[in-house]
Structures are given as C-alpha cells and as structure tokens.
Amino acid sequence: MWLIAAAALVVVSITHWVYRWRNPRCNGNLPPGSMGWPLLGETIQFFAPNPTWDTPPFVKERMKRYGAIFKTNLVGRPVIVSTDSDLNYMIFQQEGQLFQSWYPDSFTEVFGRQNVGSLHGYMYKYLKNMVLYLFGPESLKKMLHEVEHVATTNLHKWAAKESVDLKEATANMIFDLTAKKLISYDPEKSSENLRESFVAFIQGLISFPLDIPGTAYHKCLQGRKKAMTVLKNMLEERRANPRKLKTDFFDYVLEELDRGDSILTEAIALDLMFVLLFASFETTSLAITVAVKLLRDNPRVLQELTEEHENILRNRENTESGLTWKEYKSMTFTFQLINETVRLANIVPGVFRKALKDIKFKDYTIPAGWAVMVCPPAVHLNPANYKDPLEFNPWRWKRMDQKGASKNFMAFGGGMRFCVGTDFTKVQMAVFLHCLVTKYRWKTVRGGEIVRTPGLQFPNGFQVQMIAKDKQNQDPTSECDQGSRDF
C-alpha cells in the first residue's frame, strides 16, 4: 500500500512541477506564449537555422500566434521576447533602472564572466571609455590611412589568386589589423596562431550548450581557452619586458593595471581583449561579405556607389594621396548602403536584458528576474517600419536618421550600450568598399548561401574572383554576377 501511496505522491509532485513550469507565477498578466518542455523549454526550436532573409521562424510563428510580445523558455530560463518597437526602445533607454544587460550562462561561459557585456554601472562605463580610447573618432582619424593601406594590400593579393573566400579573407584582414592595434600581434612572427583559436570558438558559439567532447560547444570553449592562454602569456611577457614607447592598446591596459587606485583586474582586462578581438573582426567581415553579395545582385546600387567614390578621386588635388577624414565623412550614399546592409543582414538578431523589478507594459507584466530578448529582425523587417522590408534599397535612408539608434533601427544596439565599435565598423566597411569599387571588379565563382542561426549568420563559401580595373578597362557593373539571389 505504501508503494502505491509513494508512487501517487511522485505523480502528484511531477504534475505540480510541470504545471508550475508551464504556468509561472506573476503579479499581473504574463504575455501569452509557451514555456515548452520542462528543462528544455523551446531551446531546440530557437536554435533551428534560418535559410532566408526573413525574421527567424521561431519568432515569426509566435508573433502570428501570440502577438508582438510573448513568453518562452530558453536553456532553462524564462524569457520575454519583444518585437515591439516601443518596448524595445524602453528596454534600451532604461538600462540600469528597469533592465540590465544579461546573457545566458552558456554565453558568459564563452565570453568570460568578467566580459564587458556582463558588467554594469560604473565598471561598464569605465571599460567603455577605455575602448573609446582605441575606437573613438580621434583614434580613427589617425588610423584611416592604415585601414586604407591594409584594404589595398589585401585586395592586390586577392586579385593575384584564382578566387578567394570573401568572408574568410576579410575576417583575416580585419583580425590582423585589429590584433596589431590591440596587442601588436604579427601572425608571421608569432609562434601562436591566434586566429585559429577564434575559428574554433566561432564554429560553436551559437550551438546547443552541451559541454561534452565532440560537441560544437565544447570545441568553442576549447578555442576560448587557447586564445585566453595566448593573451595571458602575452600579458606576462609584456609585464616582464615593459616597452618605453607605448604603441598599442595592451600598453594602455597595462598602465591601468599598474595604477595603485585602478579598479581594473587582470581577469577583466583579458576578457575585454578577447571580446574586442572577436567583435571587431567577425561581425564586420560578415557585414562586408553581405554588402558585396548585395552589390553583386543590384547593379544600380553598385553604379551609384562607384560614382560616389570615383568623384572623390576626381575632386582630389593630389591623386597620389590617400583618403582624408573629410572625404570619408562625405560618403553619403556609402553610409546609406551600410545602414541598409546591417538592417537587412541582422547580424546580431537577439539582444538580452534582465528585468530588475516587476515591469508593467501595456496589458502585460514582466516579472523581476526574467530575461528579456529584444529581436531587431522583427523590427527591421516589419512592413509598418520599412516599405518592402526584404528589398535592398539604400535610397530609403535619404529620409531616415543615419546617425544612431532609433525605435525602428537597432543594428548597433541602443541606449547607453550602443556599440562603441560602430564607428570602427563603418570606417572598415566604407574604406574597403572605396578601394574595391575604384580599383576592382569581381565575379562570383561559387556558393554564397546564407544560413542564419539565432546568433550570427554565415555566408558559406562565397568565392569571388577579383579583377583589377587597370588590367581590363570595363564597366564595373557589366560583369558583376547577376545570378539568382541564393540567400
């Protein structure tokens, strides 16, 4: 009899637990939605790839079913997903008051528990100012000629090859430049292949968080471990052999670490270097690759872009001089193209925050402690915000704000956590496109399909052949591949 009673108690307990899982407590009305299976939630559906430009199916299906705001559960965490422009804007503007930056444990394990995205208040502002030392406007003015030289040199090398994988080639180009500015890293002289560690890291970054040998997530953690070992060894070597002349960001970091009143720790400094190395090259190389693919399929856009940059060369007094900051700031159509590229690409399609208290919004309550995921693609691809949202139309930005974030544009985040690397990304893209369209034409050799995940998108095997214009004096739009849109 007691066995039956015990079994009944277990059944009742499990039933109650499942009920509580599917019906979380809330001092108000939770948004509609499903919490999915116990423990798993809707994680598997969330991680499903998306082979289209459109809003991820996970979000789009639930928007149709539940509306612009809905609840779910991801990797064991209750989450409110927002595709509502007003709520998104409030989330960004109320940083530190109603919401704070938050990412799942799997992300913090990968990026480091002391990474800049997980820090708040004064510490975050302190690190942000440190990063602006490297990526602020004054530093970028000095860096402009170096960015142009790197782009010109690499394009020249690529033109000598039969074809290049554009995503991989631009990633290497930007990584080498960024690593040089950060830590004076030279891949040809270093015994450690730092970029190789990041390749392993990226391949498992957006994967199911199962840390078992053989899984993508495990390889990701191992890639981070190797990269962090290299950075730590560099830090120790630099400390043991300090340089009289400060030439990189590492010198600046060491100076801060050695100050007696500094709040910077070695762990925070290393996590910062890791995140900067990753963020500065991966997202920018993706954006450049997507931009080139879009130019390939839109000859009219390519023609106007080329005319803008050839006008810069024609109006230059000294034809042998490099780009000036004034010329860079005059690239009106280029900036329209960049905004349109990142709007359509949605390279970072999910931004996480955590509610600091119970928050009332419209008819719903977001409980304290719940995660909130802002979904930029649902805003960027909403016909109410952008006419024909899946159409690549840089001219639409003539009538729109191009300077920063807004309720309907959050490709670089928003609020006090607006991406401090935004200007660096735009400089990299604009200068690369300038060198590309004024000196080269190109054609697609193979592939280029886009496979999206909930974190990043990967242009797979986009092989292009670069052809110097001075070798074959042809209209740059004439042979630019105009095949089917395979993404």
Side-chain angles (χ1 to χ4, degrees):
M1 182 66 70
W2 63 271
L3 287 174
I4 296 175
L9 182 60
V10 169
V11 170
V12 169
S13 298
I14 292 175
T15 302
H16 178 72
W17 176 61
V18 171
Y19 177 81
R20 294 301 339 152
W21 176 275
R22 294 182 175 177
N23 299 275
R25 291 188 178 90
C26 176
N27 296 321
N29 295 319
L30 276 171
S34 169
M35 304 304 285
W37 292 95
L39 300 180
L40 276 178
E42 296 187 305
T43 307
I44 294 175
Q45 299 96 311
F46 176 76
F47 278 105
N50 174 24
T52 73
W53 277 115
D54 212 345
T55 304
F58 175 86
V59 174
K60 193 168 185 178
E61 291 167 8
R62 284 155 184 77
M63 286 174 64
K64 289 179 180 178
R65 193 181 310 170
Y66 305 120
I69 305 169
F70 59 88
K71 68 175 182 286
T72 184
N73 188 292
L74 305 175
V75 292
R77 181 88 186 203
V79 179
I80 301 294
V81 177
S82 171
T83 68
D84 184 287
S85 296
D86 292 329
L87 178 55
N88 293 344
Y89 188 74
M90 184 178 84
I91 290 168
F92 286 134
Q93 295 303 313
Q94 293 297 318
E95 170 77 25
Q97 304 299 317
L98 300 179
F99 301 91
Q100 72 177 22
S101 180
W102 173 89
Y103 284 88
D105 289 342
S106 57
F107 272 61
T108 54
E109 197 69 33
V110 164
F111 284 111
R113 297 195 175 277
Q114 303 276 9
N115 81 81
V116 64
S118 299
L119 298 174
H120 312 287
Y122 178 76
M123 192 68 211
Y124 170 74
K125 293 177 182 177
Y126 170 78
L127 292 180
K128 183 177 180 179
N129 287 331
M130 284 187 66
V131 176
L132 285 172
Y133 172 85
L134 177 68
F135 292 139
E138 292 306 312
S139 295
L140 291 176
K141 287 179 184 179
K142 300 174 185 176
M143 204 187 299
L144 189 65
H145 287 299
E146 189 172 2
V147 174
E148 183 181 15
H149 173 73
V150 168
T152 301
T153 302
N154 278 274
L155 281 163
H156 180 71
K157 289 179 182 177
W158 301 346
K161 298 180 179 180
E162 188 174 328
S163 68
V164 293
D165 183 314
L166 190 61
K167 165 62 179 61
E168 184 64 18
T170 52
N172 280 324
M173 176 186 74
I174 298 169
F175 182 87
D176 289 348
L177 173 63
T178 307
K180 179 183 176 183
K181 305 304 292 185
L182 284 172
I183 56 179
S184 297
Y185 175 77
D186 185 341
E188 295 182 0
K189 296 179 181 178
S190 176
S191 60
E192 299 284 351
N193 191 329
L194 189 56
R195 172 84 172 95
E196 208 171 67
S197 298
F198 276 90
V199 170
F201 170 79
I202 292 163
Q203 287 174 348
L205 177 59
I206 308 300
S207 59
F208 195 83
L210 193 61
D211 186 11
I212 296 175
T215 63
Y217 185 69
H218 178 78
K219 292 176 182 177
C220 176
L221 292 177
Q222 293 303 304
R224 170 186 162 78
K225 185 177 179 181
K226 289 180 182 178
M228 291 297 288
T229 298
V230 173
L231 291 174
K232 186 173 176 60
N233 289 341
M234 285 183 171
L235 178 66
E236 292 173 353
E237 182 181 343
R238 190 74 66 87
R239 266 185 162 159
N241 302 286
R243 301 189 298 189
K244 292 181 181 179
L245 185 64
K246 294 177 173 55
T247 58
D248 61 20
F249 190 64
F250 226 154
D251 287 327
Y252 176 57
V253 168
L254 282 167
E255 188 176 54
E256 287 293 304
L257 283 171
D258 292 339
R259 277 178 42 212
D261 59 344
S262 176
I263 62 172
L264 186 67
T265 66
E266 185 176 300
I268 293 175
L270 289 172
D271 276 346
L272 176 63
M273 303 299 281
F274 180 85
V275 170
L276 288 177
L277 278 169
F278 167 74
S280 59
F281 83 91
E282 180 61 18
T283 54
T284 306
S285 62
L286 284 165
I288 287 175
T289 305
V290 172
V292 173
K293 285 171 62 62
L294 289 167
L295 286 170
R296 178 202 69 178
D297 287 338
N298 294 272
R300 194 164 70 93
V301 178
L302 175 60
Q303 182 177 356
E304 178 147 345
L305 181 71
T306 303
E307 287 173 358
E308 176 171 87
H309 288 278
E310 289 183 342
N311 279 335
I312 289 175
L313 297 182
R314 278 194 292 269
N315 294 328
R316 185 178 289 171
E317 292 183 8
N318 180 2
T319 57
E320 299 301 318
S321 67
L323 271 172
T324 66
W325 191 252
K326 183 179 180 181
E327 288 172 341
Y328 165 70
K329 298 298 285 186
S330 74
M331 298 176 182
T332 304
F333 186 72
T334 304
F335 294 130
Q336 292 174 11
L337 181 144
I338 290 172
N339 270 12
E340 183 70 350
T341 297
V342 296
R343 177 196 71 84
L344 199 54
N346 288 301
I347 291 169
V348 182
V351 180
F352 287 92
R353 295 289 185 266
K354 182 173 71 173
L356 296 176
K357 58 182 76 173
D358 284 357
I359 299 163
K360 304 286 186 182
F361 182 81
K362 296 182 179 177
D363 297 328
Y364 303 129
T365 296
I366 302 173
W370 275 49
V372 179
M373 189 186 90
V374 173
C375 186
V379 176
H380 294 159
L381 303 176
N382 187 338
N385 301 328
Y386 297 92
K387 183 181 178 182
D388 299 322
L390 294 176
E391 178 187 349
F392 181 59
N393 177 17
W395 292 278
R396 73 170 86 239
W397 291 92
K398 283 183 177 180
R399 304 176 297 278
M400 302 174 73
D401 177 25
Q402 299 182 45
K403 295 180 180 179
S406 68
K407 287 186 179 181
N408 296 326
F409 185 64
M410 51 194 68
F412 300 104
M416 69 174 288
R417 288 187 181 265
F418 184 77
C419 178
V420 292
T422 298
D423 288 336
F424 182 57
T425 295
K426 290 183 176 180
V427 165
Q428 292 271 2
M429 292 186 69
V431 172
F432 178 85
L433 291 171
H434 171 78
C435 297
L436 176 66
V437 301
T438 56
K439 298 178 181 178
Y440 296 89
R441 59 188 182 85
W442 69 96
K443 60 182 179 181
T444 302
V445 175
R446 178 176 61 82
E449 292 81 5
I450 295 290
V451 177
R452 297 171 184 268
T453 72
L456 297 173
Q457 59 183 12
F458 301 92
N460 295 329
F462 182 40
Q463 297 278 341
V464 296
Q465 180 184 19
M466 295 290 176
I467 304 167
K469 287 186 178 180
D470 57 5
K471 286 189 176 181
Q472 294 189 27
N473 187 22
Q474 297 182 22
D475 180 356
T477 64
S478 64
E479 290 191 26
C480 185
D481 183 69
Q482 298 176 30
S484 62
R485 300 192 181 192
D486 53 6
F487 55 125

